[in-house]
Amino acid sequence: PPDVTGPSCPAECLVLQLPALPLLVGDTVTLRCRVWQDGTLTGVRFYHGERYLGEVLNGTELSLSPLQLDHSGRYRCGGLVNFGPLLWWEMSAPVTMTVAETVHGECGNGDG
């Protein structure tokens, strides 16, 4: 059978990046799909679990806003990776995003 995922790609050739900040209900988050080294990426698609979220024709980012608790879960991205003459479809490893309720009393609550 043909090689569906393409030639031997370095581990994590395609990576889905999420901000490391705590994500709260009502926030906006940008999912960013990045390709390794000098490759280019087109036709990027985003998935929440097995659910298709959409395709970005000109770019590699998808914004979710306003965040809700049900946005928590595993996300992946996929796209056409191009390294010179080689072109193939690649999927990222899943990344878990957790959305929390708004923190109550976050103003003026010092540690001491």
Side-chain angles (χ1 to χ4, degrees):
D3 186 356
V4 183
T5 58
S8 60
C9 197
E12 303 205 356
C13 166
L14 195 61
V15 177
L16 177 61
Q17 294 180 323
L18 295 174
L21 312 168
L23 299 170
L24 302 176
V25 169
D27 284 353
T28 297
V29 68
T30 299
L31 309 178
R32 183 173 288 116
C33 203
R34 301 288 301 271
V35 68
W36 183 76
Q37 279 195 345
D38 299 328
T40 58
L41 188 59
T42 56
V44 178
R45 296 179 180 187
F46 291 90
Y47 301 86
H48 179 198
E50 297 303 315
R51 188 165 63 93
Y52 172 66
L53 296 178
E55 182 171 350
V56 183
L57 297 178
N58 296 312
T60 59
E61 298 180 356
L62 178 71
S63 289
L64 302 176
S65 177
L67 286 180
Q68 303 296 329
L69 290 175
D70 65 0
H71 282 111
S72 294
R74 291 160 71 88
Y75 287 81
R76 295 191 306 161
C77 65
L80 283 173
V81 174
N82 187 347
F83 282 98
L86 302 175
L87 179 68
W88 73 93
W89 175 262
E90 185 76 40
M91 286 288 287
S92 72
V95 177
T96 300
M97 181 170 80
T98 302
V99 180
E101 296 270 9
T102 304
V103 179
H104 296 289
E106 56 191 3
C107 294
N109 265 358
D111 289 343

